[in-house]
Amino acid sequence: NIVRELDPMRKVNARTIRCRSLVMVGDDSPHIDQTVDMNGRMLPEDTDFIKLSDCGGMPLEEQPGKVCESFRLFLQGMGYVPSLVQSRSAAGIAHAQIQHDMELRKMPA
């Protein structure tokens, strides 16, 4: 059982593990209620909660790009990845490729 102690006097003596946590769930997951309940029991200053859109119960299988991005931002927020620069998104690259292809079609051969 996980219990968050709210009384500051008893909180000092409570046995807890203090570490940053990333709680991730898909918006169509059958376990979303349990995940939200668990997130509510954890210390808010040590927990990040992410609900992935267009995802069911297996985020790593269904949305690996979003999981990777979320995990990278989580690590960056903790200061572990300060020099990482985000490259263009896959959507931006695809859009640039489409524009390039359209320009090639307009050019006379």
Side-chain angles (χ1 to χ4, degrees):
N1 291 333
I2 298 174
V3 177
R4 184 173 69 185
E5 185 59 61
L6 298 176
D7 181 15
M9 299 306 281
R10 292 178 62 193
K11 190 176 189 177
V12 174
N13 297 327
R15 291 177 46 197
T16 61
I17 297 174
R18 301 273 309 189
C19 67
R20 299 278 307 157
S21 301
L22 176 64
V23 179
M24 189 178 304
V25 66
D27 66 349
D28 291 330
S29 173
H31 307 290
I32 195 162
D33 294 333
Q34 292 89 350
T35 307
V36 171
D37 181 54
M38 182 180 71
N39 183 57
R41 293 172 185 251
M42 299 175 80
L43 295 172
E45 60 268 13
D46 291 334
T47 307
D48 292 326
F49 180 77
I50 296 176
K51 187 160 101 173
L52 298 173
S53 61
D54 301 329
C55 188
M58 298 189 321
L60 285 171
E61 295 288 328
E62 298 171 23
Q63 296 290 341
K66 289 182 180 182
V67 170
C68 182
E69 177 83 8
S70 301
F71 191 62
R72 182 183 64 81
L73 292 173
F74 174 71
L75 291 175
Q76 213 170 20
M78 291 184 354
Y80 288 116
V81 193
S83 62
L84 187 63
V85 178
Q86 182 173 351
S87 62
R88 293 191 324 181
S89 68
I93 293 170
H95 180 69
Q97 182 65 35
I98 290 170
Q99 285 184 335
H100 179 71
D101 291 346
M102 290 176 68
E103 289 174 7
L104 288 177
R105 288 182 191 146
K106 290 180 185 177
M107 297 175 110

